[in-house]
Amino acid sequence: HHFGSINRYRAGALNTSPRKQNPSTEISSAEKRGLIVVQLSSLLSILSTTLVAFAPASALVQKLGSARATSLLSILAASSAVIEILFSPSVGRLMDIFGRKPPLLIVLVAIALSQLTVVLSNESTWSLCMGKFAHTLGIGLFFQTIGQAILTDVTGSGACPERLSSALGMQAALISIGFLVGALSAGKLQSSFGLTASYGLAALLAFGNV
C-alpha cells in the first residue's frame, strides 16, 4: 500500500500539498497603493486641466482679437510640443537618477501654480499664456514620460506584462472620465461664475493632486 501511494504520487494522482499560485501574477499591497496613487493623479490632472483647457482661447480673443489670439495660441502649442520632444529624454534620465517622485511633483506643482497665477493676476494676458503653455507641456510629460515609467514600476511589467496592459486600460478609462466631466463642467462653470472661478477650482484640484 505504501509503495502504491508513492507510485500514484509520482504519477500525479495524489497531491499532498495545496497548489501554490504563480507569484508573478500576484501584486503586492505596496504596488496596489502605488497604482491607485498614479491613477488618481491621472484623473485629477486631466480633470483640473480640462476645466480651463478651452478658456484661454476665448479670453485671449476678447483681449487681443481673433487673428493675434490664434497666432499666439499656435505658437504656444508648437513651442510646448517642441520642448516636450527635446526634453523628454532628459526627464527620463533624471527619473533614473533621482527617482520618479521629484519630476512628477515638479510637473504637478508647475500646473497648479500656473492656474493659481491666472487667479492672482486677475486673468492677465501673460498668465493665460503661461497657463496654456504649462498645461500642454505638463500633461504631455505626465502621461507620455513620467506616468508610463511609474506604471511600469508599480505593475512589475517585466515579470508579468499583462499587469501593465490592465493598468494602462484603467488609466485610459480614468482619463476619458476626467475629460468628459471636465469638458461638460467647464462651460457651465465659466458662464455661471466666471473665468476666475474656473481657474480657482482647477487650482484647488491641482494642488490637491500634488
Side-chain angles (χ1 to χ4, degrees), residues 38-63:
V38 72
Q39 288 177 340
L40 179 59
S41 184
S42 299
L43 175 63
L44 289 175
S45 294
I46 199 68
L47 179 59
S48 65
T49 52
T50 304
L51 280 174
V52 292
F54 311 107
S58 58
L60 289 174
V61 166
Q62 292 179 359
K63 291 175 177 289

Side-chain angles (χ1 to χ4, degrees), residues 37 41-42 44-46 48-49 101-115 138-139 142 146 203 205-210:
V37 168
S41 184
S42 299
L44 289 175
S45 294
I46 199 68
S48 65
T49 52
K101 190 180 294 184
L104 174 63
L105 288 176
I106 290 172
V107 168
L108 296 182
V109 168
I111 292 174
L113 288 177
S114 69
Q115 294 168 339
I139 288 297
F142 178 86
I146 303 172
L205 290 174
F207 279 110
N209 195 11
V210 175

Side-chain angles (χ1 to χ4, degrees), residues 108-147:
L108 296 182
V109 168
I111 292 174
L113 288 177
S114 69
Q115 294 168 339
L116 181 62
T117 301
V118 176
V119 178
L120 298 178
S121 67
N122 195 26
E123 307 165 20
S124 65
T125 300
W126 66 269
S127 66
L128 290 168
C129 293
M130 185 183 71
K132 183 65 175 178
F133 179 83
H135 288 177
T136 307
L137 179 60
I139 288 297
L141 289 174
F142 178 86
F143 288 111
Q144 298 300 325
T145 305
I146 303 172

Side-chain angles (χ1 to χ4, degrees), residues 9 14 31 60 88 103 109 112 127 195:
Y9 175 74
L14 183 63
E31 289 173 331
L60 289 174
S88 288
V109 168
S127 66
L195 188 63

Side-chain angles (χ1 to χ4, degrees), residues 12 32 41 66 97-98 110 145 162 170 181 198:
K32 288 179 181 178
S41 184
S66 178
I97 297 173
F98 299 105
T145 305
E162 59 267 23
M170 176 60 72
V181 173
S198 299

